[in-house]
Amino acid sequence: MSTESYYVPHQSRWPILASIALFLMAMGAGGFINNLSAQDGAGFSGIILLVGAGLLAVILIGWFRNVINESRAGMYSDQMDASYRWGMSWFIFSEIMFFAAFFGALFYVRTLAVPWLGGEGDKGVTNMLWQGFEAQWPLMTTPDMEAFPGPKAVIDPWHIPLLNTVLLLSSSVTVTLAHRALKQNNRDWIVIWLAATVLLGVVFIYYQAEEYVLAYQELGLTLNAGIYGATFFILTGFHGLHVTLGTFMLLVIWFRVMRGHFSPKQHFAFEAVSWYWHFVDVVWVGLFLFVYIL
Amino acid sequence: MGTLEQTVETEVHHGPARGITRWLYTTNHKDIGSMYLWFSLLMFLLGGCMALTIRAELFQPGLQLMEPNFFNQMTTMHGLIMVFGAVMPAFVGLANWMVPMMIGAPDMALPRMNNWSFWILPFAFCMMVATLFMEGGAPNFGWTFYAPLSTTYAPPSVTFFIFAVHMMGISSIMGAINIIATILNLRAPGMTMMKLPLFVWTWLITAFLLIAVMPVLAGVVTMMLMDIHFGTSFFNAAGGGDPVLFQHVFWFFGHPEVYIMILPAFGIVSQIIPTFARKKLFGYASMVYATASIAFLAFIVWAHHMFTVGMPLAGELFFMYATMLIAVPTGVKVFNWVATMFRGSMTFETPMLFALAFVVLFTIGGFSGLMLAIAPADFQYHDTYFVVAHFHYVLVPGAIFSIVAAVYYWLPKWTGNMYNETMGRWHFWLSFIGVNVTFFPMHFVGLAGMPRRIPDYALQFADFNAVASVGAFMFGLSQLLLVYNVVQCIRVKRPATAEVWEGAEGLEWTVPSPAPYHTFAQPPLVK
């Protein structure tokens, strides 16, 4: 443990402003979604949501700029660095648990709930609600096909998803190559490998969008298509959002490298983003396996 | 705890800023701790008023004061406010104040994020309380918000409830990350893990639980949002989903949440009892291991909340036996507290009184928990007032008493003044009697079959309910003594010494009272 003094920032207005922005977003989103469901037209709440989101973006840019400047001014000791490392690690752990909730839901319905609906198990009453319902996975025929019309087909894992797997796995390699270049202080190659990583991320998102269009327009695989569609979209959707955020983070790092930030010794922001990127990658492997293939 | 080198430098380079911006922009762990504690007190009084509304309606059978729907809103909001607004922020506030001082750190690891964690909360609760005034009323489905009550049959305000829960989750996760990073990274030289005060240990484990389960809560409310507004069928069997899935995911969060509300309490009591028994804590290492075991078991017992919902027999048995296992580490703790007091030089100041009441009354709550853990017996107890009695015994004379004990214990350190001991004792005895008069009869009506969450009840339950209502008002009103005592402690100069308590040990007692705005800019050396 170091004995040099630990940097405690003076007052900051970012936290209270960010709380206000978050509040506006939550109020706006709540009103917006409620109006949407009641088919009332968005009204003011859509605007409040946008203002909140815009404000939060501006605040986060300002807050991060603040932190970057402090770091570049050499105000952070090794101990501060360790705090950021712990912080990022536990943040990623919380993200893992967020996905665990949805994976847990998927496993529960696949192995227990749907078979029970189809009459499996020793209770003998489980098939009473929808007699004749047959358990299957992917669930193509839902118990109530009028309320939840099941999909005509599901996504073929060996086309777009396989391509996306290749894309994302290679992006994990390129980000590692960028890190190696950074440690060797090979600035040109950092830029190139990071650009490749961002590009792979963007192409992944593009194909994911293509897949959604295919699902909605051709396969009848929608949010409303019963439990298969629900678990499919919540898992791939949140993963897609995380890839988008990760790509954005990589882009920020890319710009910072271009501006001459980071040294071979001190570059935690880079590492944090690459940790995040690997995490997103690992989640994808889980998705590919349990959502698409099996 | 080893002896401390008395070369603690308390460098005072700048004091607090003036005016409101001190609180809005602060990065100081003491300011943020104070804000958490005041916020929690406010929520405690608000949630308490709702509890008294409930007890007023239940004073007599029949509907006297309110519509059943409003009664349901009161039980829902009372539970949510007490869990997320009163108990959790109070513990985070105590952690903010005490953890850096107990481990010899200059502040929390990430001070700006610390302030963000706090300031999200008032906004989140504004939004949640605002649902009371929305069309269709506030959430009325109970604090556990089971689907389909909270999806198909929910009032429109449920959307705002969902986003409020998201905000609380963000706040809790950031707060917990900060506490973990502080404990793991900012300990003074020589403060090894097995020298950490027990309050710090319990909070380390609590923070881990928070980071593990708050995202699961976010996941379950997100699935609700999707079911309500975007046509999914997670909790709807018509689409192949399952309402029971909601309960599984919710209780995977919910059971560790219960320990999030009690582990820091164990830590507090483990600080207070040695001080007033003037003996070292008996079995320090076993306390640490017991806490870790409880945290581990927290993840594999969730379905004991759902014995009656329909589960395979193997599931019922697994969750029954796993739950009973929790009694082992908890028993270790209770025996350790008792052994600490054995042949100690005991005195009974207010913090000690609350801590002692905690040991006795929490144990009663633990035993009724064991009764509920027995699956076949639970078929009888489920959703009765016996359950209400059980969890109020662990939360009120458990979590709340420990928080009150902590406040009296550390108040002189925070304000620099002694509180009024006589009034503290009055507060204790009135609370102690009030709590038992309120919740003990609930065991009886519960065993006799009175269902929970109901505004009206059969005549045979009338007497015990009237008694419980009288007790509730007694308990509720006596909390005003605490408010008065705290305010007086800040205003009336009755200077406290640095050590405050004769038998107190730990770094926080080596700094002056009140603790300077910045403590340990240079880390102290712990031998």
Side-chain angles (χ1 to χ4, degrees):
Chain A
M1 260 159 283
S2 100
T3 45
E4 51 186 319
S5 70
Y6 188 84
Y7 174 65
V8 178
H10 295 299
Q11 291 194 315
S12 168
R13 50 191 74 192
W14 301 122
I16 179 76
L17 291 175
S19 306
I20 292 168
L22 213 55
F23 177 62
L24 291 177
M25 279 178 75
M27 282 304 274
F32 181 70
I33 292 174
N34 270 1
N35 289 344
L36 218 62
S37 285
Q39 290 170 337
D40 262 354
F44 273 123
S45 37
I47 298 167
I48 296 175
L49 171 60
L50 283 179
V51 169
L55 201 60
L56 188 67
V58 172
I59 289 162
L60 288 181
I61 290 169
W63 193 337
F64 275 105
R65 177 188 289 161
N66 212 338
V67 172
I68 290 165
N69 287 340
E70 284 167 3
S71 166
R72 290 178 57 75
M75 290 154 92
Y76 293 169
S77 61
D78 289 349
Q79 200 179 10
M80 189 78 214
D81 190 65
S83 287
Y84 282 129
R85 280 167 197 277
W86 281 120
M88 191 67 193
S89 316
W90 287 106
F91 169 65
I92 290 177
F93 175 61
S94 80
E95 291 271 48
I96 291 171
M97 292 308 294
F98 183 67
F99 278 98
F102 300 126
F103 273 110
L106 172 68
F107 297 151
Y108 178 79
V109 289
R110 279 186 66 161
T111 54
L112 298 172
V114 171
W116 284 344
L117 262 182
E120 212 179 86
D122 57 5
K123 294 281 186 272
V125 289
T126 47
N127 207 13
M128 264 169 48
L129 272 175
W130 284 280
Q131 279 165 10
F133 169 75
E134 275 180 43
Q136 55 179 167
W137 194 268
L139 185 64
M140 311 302 279
T141 310
T142 62
D144 184 345
M145 282 297 276
E146 267 172 43
F148 298 100
K152 288 199 282 287
V154 297
I155 303 283
D156 177 5
W158 306 112
H159 286 101
I160 294 180
L162 178 64
L163 176 67
N164 268 349
T165 309
V166 174
L167 287 172
L168 221 47
L169 287 179
S170 355
S171 75
S172 254
V173 175
T174 53
V175 81
T176 306
L177 288 172
H179 189 208
R180 180 178 294 180
L182 176 52
K183 281 201 279 199
Q184 291 161 353
N185 210 18
N186 203 337
R187 309 292 301 189
D188 291 342
W189 280 103
I190 316 172
V191 175
I192 293 168
W193 287 125
L194 266 182
T197 315
V198 171
L199 201 67
L200 288 166
V202 172
V203 177
F204 173 92
I205 296 162
Y206 170 78
Y207 277 113
Q208 194 67 29
E210 282 282 289
E211 186 179 291
Y212 279 12
V213 172
L214 178 78
Y216 259 77
Q217 290 186 345
E218 318 237 320
L219 308 179
L221 176 61
T222 66
L223 282 170
N224 199 30
I227 192 64
Y228 184 83
T231 53
F232 174 83
F233 281 107
I234 205 142
L235 277 160
T236 57
F238 271 114
H239 178 262
L241 283 178
H242 281 74
V243 175
T244 311
L245 180 64
T247 307
F248 194 74
M249 285 155 63
L250 283 166
L251 213 57
V252 172
I253 296 296
W254 190 67
F255 276 115
R256 288 187 61 191
V257 172
M258 301 271 268
R259 283 195 159 192
H261 291 199
F262 306 127
S263 72
K265 285 243 149 60
Q266 209 186 1
H267 50 260
F268 177 63
F270 183 103
E271 287 176 79
V273 171
S274 77
W275 291 354
Y276 193 78
W277 195 251
H278 290 310
F279 146 72
V280 168
D281 208 12
V282 171
V283 172
W284 175 260
V285 174
L287 285 182
F288 187 52
L289 212 60
F290 294 113
V291 175
Y292 291 100
I293 301 181
L294 297 175
Chain B
M1 177 75 51
T3 49
L4 304 165
E5 189 137 309
Q6 292 297 324
T7 53
V8 181
E9 270 187 60
T10 48
E11 189 188 349
V12 187
H13 41 108
H14 59 90
R18 303 212 167 270
I20 185 81
T21 58
R22 166 180 177 185
W23 305 102
L24 294 180
Y25 301 158
T26 187
T27 50
N28 182 286
H29 72 101
K30 299 186 182 80
D31 284 351
I32 296 170
S34 301
M35 289 195 293
Y36 263 114
L37 288 166
W38 282 114
F39 174 75
S40 152
L41 179 63
L42 196 69
M43 288 293 118
F44 178 58
L45 297 176
L46 179 63
C49 288
M50 291 173 175
L52 294 185
T53 314
I54 294 167
R55 281 319 318 171
E57 173 59 46
L58 292 175
F59 181 66
Q60 283 180 4
L63 294 178
Q64 352 280 334
L65 302 171
M66 62 197 79
E67 293 292 306
N69 187 36
F70 184 73
F71 182 90
N72 287 345
Q73 294 175 27
M74 284 294 107
T75 54
T76 307
M77 296 300 269
H78 163 72
L80 290 168
I81 286 176
M82 286 304 195
V83 169
F84 294 103
V87 174
M88 288 169 71
F91 282 132
V92 181
L94 291 169
N96 253 295
W97 250 104
M98 300 320 297
V99 166
M101 290 212 288
M102 287 174 137
I103 65 174
D107 205 290
M108 295 290 277
L110 304 159
R112 278 174 292 221
M113 193 174 83
N114 196 17
N115 197 29
W116 198 17
S117 307
F118 169 73
W119 273 109
I120 288 174
L121 281 182
F123 290 102
F125 278 89
C126 274
M127 195 157 87
M128 193 146 90
V129 173
T131 59
L132 277 167
F133 307 100
M134 287 179 187
E135 211 182 311
N140 54 5
F141 31 67
W143 88 274
T144 50
F145 49 100
Y146 277 14
L149 280 178
S150 62
T151 52
T152 315
Y153 305 104
S157 63
V158 67
T159 315
F160 293 96
F161 156 80
I162 289 171
F163 285 115
V165 170
H166 273 303
M167 287 174 77
M168 292 166 208
I170 294 170
S171 159
S172 287
I173 291 170
M174 289 197 298
I177 288 176
N178 223 331
I179 289 168
I180 288 203
T182 307
I183 298 172
L184 293 179
N185 192 35
L186 261 60
R187 277 169 289 127
M191 179 63 84
T192 56
M193 290 305 276
M194 289 314 270
K195 275 189 201 162
L196 284 180
L198 219 78
F199 178 66
V200 180
W201 252 117
T202 52
W203 241 114
L204 179 69
I205 291 166
T206 303
F208 165 73
L209 289 179
L210 274 168
I211 301 174
V213 300
M214 290 311 282
V216 176
L217 176 68
V220 76
V221 293
T222 305
M223 288 190 268
M224 272 171 60
L225 186 77
M226 299 295 288
D227 268 15
I228 296 168
H229 294 292
F230 300 103
T232 55
S233 53
F234 288 107
F235 309 134
N236 189 342
D242 189 351
V244 178
L245 168 64
F246 173 89
Q247 300 182 21
H248 279 292
V249 186
F250 176 81
W251 284 114
F252 186 83
F253 146 80
H255 200 79
E257 168 69 20
V258 172
Y259 295 133
I260 287 165
M261 292 190 285
I262 205 66
L263 292 185
F266 290 165
I268 290 164
V269 172
S270 304
Q271 301 295 132
I272 292 176
I273 288 180
T275 296
F276 296 98
R278 290 166 184 76
K279 268 179 68 190
K280 279 167 98 75
L281 183 68
F282 184 88
Y284 171 90
S286 68
M287 285 298 218
V288 172
Y289 298 135
T291 312
S293 314
I294 292 172
F296 167 73
L297 289 171
F299 287 102
I300 55 164
V301 295
W302 76 88
H304 66 214
H305 297 268
M306 319 160 38
F307 280 142
T308 60
V309 84
M311 238 192 302
L313 185 62
E316 305 260 342
L317 288 174
F318 172 79
F319 286 108
M320 174 169 104
Y321 286 123
T323 304
M324 289 178 163
L325 271 185
I326 299 173
V328 178
T330 313
V332 167
K333 285 181 169 294
V334 173
F335 282 115
N336 279 345
W337 290 322
V338 174
T340 305
M341 289 183 277
F342 180 65
R343 305 183 75 173
S345 312
M346 306 251 284
T347 51
F348 300 94
E349 286 87 342
T350 312
M352 183 62 161
L353 290 173
F354 275 100
L356 286 175
F358 172 94
V359 175
V360 176
L361 300 181
F362 170 80
T363 305
I364 293 177
F367 278 138
S368 58
L370 266 178
M371 290 171 70
L372 288 162
I374 302 165
D378 181 72
F379 278 53
Q380 173 69 22
Y381 309 144
H382 188 85
D383 258 349
T384 68
Y385 255 84
F386 189 77
V387 178
V388 179
H390 158 67
F391 69 74
H392 280 94
Y393 257 88
V394 290
L395 283 174
V396 186
I400 300 280
F401 269 28
S402 83
I403 292 164
V404 174
V407 168
Y408 281 116
Y409 186 54
W410 282 310
L411 201 54
K413 182 54 66 187
W414 301 337
T415 63
N417 297 317
M418 283 308 286
Y419 61 86
N420 184 331
E421 183 64 40
T422 315
M423 203 189 292
R425 287 178 195 203
W426 271 98
H427 175 221
F428 169 74
W429 284 110
L430 289 171
S431 299
F432 180 81
I433 295 166
V435 130
N436 285 298
V437 171
T438 310
F439 298 114
F440 213 78
M442 291 184 187
H443 290 110
F444 306 139
V445 288
L447 289 176
M450 178 171 160
R452 64 190 283 210
R453 288 174 177 160
I454 195 122
D456 188 7
Y457 49 83
L459 283 178
Q460 67 267 32
F461 305 127
D463 291 348
F464 280 134
N465 269 290
V467 171
S469 290
V470 170
F473 276 87
M474 178 179 172
F475 178 78
L477 292 175
S478 58
Q479 300 319 304
L480 298 177
L481 284 176
L482 171 70
V483 179
Y484 185 77
N485 211 344
V486 170
V487 173
Q488 285 300 95
C489 181
I490 295 167
R491 291 181 52 206
V492 179
K493 295 273 165 275
R494 212 178 295 138
T497 60
E499 204 190 13
V500 184
W501 311 109
E502 187 188 56
E505 277 190 48
L507 281 178
E508 77 263 39
W509 309 111
T510 64
V511 300
S513 302
Y517 196 58
H518 294 282
T519 31
F520 305 126
Q522 294 301 319
L525 192 66
V526 181
K527 280 187 185 163

